[in-house]
Amino acid sequence: MCRLFGMSSAPQRVGAVFWLLQAPDSLSAQSHRDPDGTGLGFYDASGTPQVHKAPIAAFRDRAFAEEARRVESATFVAHVRYASTGALLQSNTHPFLQQGRLLAHNGVIEGLDALDRHLGDDLDLVRGDTDSERFFALITRETAARGGDVGAGIAHAARWIAENLPVFALNLVLITADDLWALRYPDTHDLYVLERGTGRRMEHAGSGGRLRVRSHDLADAPAVVIASERLDDDPGWRNLRSGELLHVGPGPRTVSRHVLPQPPARRLTMADLRPEAAASQRTA
């Protein structure tokens, strides 16, 4: 299954090492399980978005891991891909960049012809073949239509998809230089949040052996962490509710809204998915 990770320590910039793996200092073990791409998105000191990603198993791209060790940012998004839609190309690898924002998604949306028609000219925002990037394009359009309110854009885009298209999952992490949003919908896959105080290093390893994240700067900086699995035994982890949209602003401070109270009109099950899509959504 694809894995999501997001973190905000805004306004403080920190160095973070994102190891999406099983063993320390290597992406090899994880990328044997999720072999179709690895991506890291963040913002440099000028606030310019940066995306480092490769459409290959990370164990074949050690330069990517070396680069990830050096970056600093107030917000991060990371993703390990097991492809469900779209070829193994860089243009199909998460995270995606649109109008200065970065997004990674885990799930499956079908009925893409209908989504393309709904997007119309906004389909020009899409560079690859994935359902995820099309979802992002709809968020971008709805955000612009609501005066730049990203939370409202996410909510309206997700509602349209939930009401009109077959949906397996719409879990996402979206960041700007200062803000982070996370959506879990419906309850198909977990998406956890942890609000961390100061006083200890961040050194988390997921219980499923899927995700490892380290930062040696976070002992002095509060942070909010989003992940597809609990990354340690901290009792503060909680699973977002189905339909819950979490916004993390500078501070960091969090605001949570329940924006999708109803299940999808056409909720997909594993049995409904194409074999490659089903493989990408299994949790083990």
Side-chain angles (χ1 to χ4, degrees), residues 18-92:
F18 295 78
W19 292 334
L20 308 177
L21 53 82
Q22 186 174 22
D25 299 315
S26 167
L27 296 177
S28 298
Q30 169 58 21
S31 59
H32 279 290
R33 292 188 179 92
D34 296 296
D36 298 330
T38 306
L40 172 65
F42 59 97
Y43 291 81
D44 66 20
S46 70
T48 302
Q50 303 291 327
V51 180
H52 297 173
K53 59 186 181 179
I56 59 175
F59 69 89
R60 299 187 184 276
D61 188 21
R62 290 185 179 276
F64 176 87
E66 291 296 330
E67 184 67 21
R69 292 189 179 109
R70 293 193 291 268
V71 302
E72 288 188 346
S73 183
T75 57
F76 292 89
V77 60
H79 185 271
V80 167
R81 184 182 186 220
Y82 194 126
S84 61
T85 302
L88 304 188
L89 302 171
Q90 184 158 340
S91 59
N92 291 333

Side-chain angles (χ1 to χ4, degrees), residues 65-180:
E66 291 296 330
E67 184 67 21
R69 292 189 179 109
R70 293 193 291 268
V71 302
E72 288 188 346
S73 183
T75 57
F76 292 89
V77 60
H79 185 271
V80 167
R81 184 182 186 220
Y82 194 126
S84 61
T85 302
L88 304 188
L89 302 171
Q90 184 158 340
S91 59
N92 291 333
T93 305
H94 306 229
F96 301 104
L97 171 64
Q98 292 182 13
Q99 297 186 3
R101 307 180 190 102
L102 296 166
L103 174 141
H105 163 245
N106 176 30
V108 177
I109 304 164
E110 294 190 350
L112 297 186
D113 289 347
L115 180 53
D116 289 351
R117 289 192 297 271
H118 184 63
L119 283 169
D121 291 343
D122 293 294
L123 191 59
D124 290 342
L125 292 164
V126 178
R127 298 289 179 262
D129 308 315
T130 65
D131 53 348
S132 304
E133 194 180 14
R134 286 167 164 82
F135 182 22
F136 193 12
L138 186 56
I139 291 170
T140 298
R141 183 174 79 183
E142 296 296 333
T143 296
R146 285 154 183 82
D149 186 332
V150 176
I154 293 171
H156 280 80
R159 285 178 195 141
W160 188 89
I161 289 173
E163 291 169 0
N164 293 279
L165 301 179
V167 171
F168 188 73
L170 296 179
N171 287 12
L172 66 82
V173 175
L174 187 156
I175 62 170
T176 66
D178 300 303
D179 294 89
L180 178 152

Side-chain angles (χ1 to χ4, degrees), residues 197-217:
T198 59
R200 63 186 178 90
R201 292 187 309 176
M202 180 178 176
E203 190 163 356
H204 294 318
S207 59
R210 289 278 188 156
L211 188 64
R212 182 180 295 271
V213 183
R214 291 184 180 180
S215 172
H216 298 289
D217 298 342

Side-chain angles (χ1 to χ4, degrees), residues 164-275:
N164 293 279
L165 301 179
V167 171
F168 188 73
L170 296 179
N171 287 12
L172 66 82
V173 175
L174 187 156
I175 62 170
T176 66
D178 300 303
D179 294 89
L180 178 152
W181 290 263
L183 173 69
R184 182 187 181 212
Y185 182 76
D187 57 358
T188 308
H189 295 314
D190 294 329
L191 192 61
Y192 291 96
V193 58
L194 175 65
E195 299 184 46
R196 302 182 73 258
T198 59
R200 63 186 178 90
R201 292 187 309 176
M202 180 178 176
E203 190 163 356
H204 294 318
S207 59
R210 289 278 188 156
L211 188 64
R212 182 180 295 271
V213 183
R214 291 184 180 180
S215 172
H216 298 289
D217 298 342
L218 286 180
D220 301 318
V224 177
V225 182
I226 306 292
S228 295
E229 62 183 74
R230 295 184 182 92
L231 300 181
D232 66 1
D233 58 1
D234 191 309
W237 286 102
R238 74 171 182 88
N239 209 353
L240 298 183
R241 296 171 295 159
S242 174
E244 182 177 353
L245 177 64
L246 184 75
H247 174 217
V248 184
R253 53 182 175 78
T254 62
V255 176
S256 178
R257 293 189 293 142
H258 198 205
V259 299
L260 289 157
Q262 302 299 323
R266 300 164 66 187
R267 182 170 182 173
L268 298 170
T269 68
M270 278 286 200
D272 299 319
L273 299 180
R274 293 167 286 111

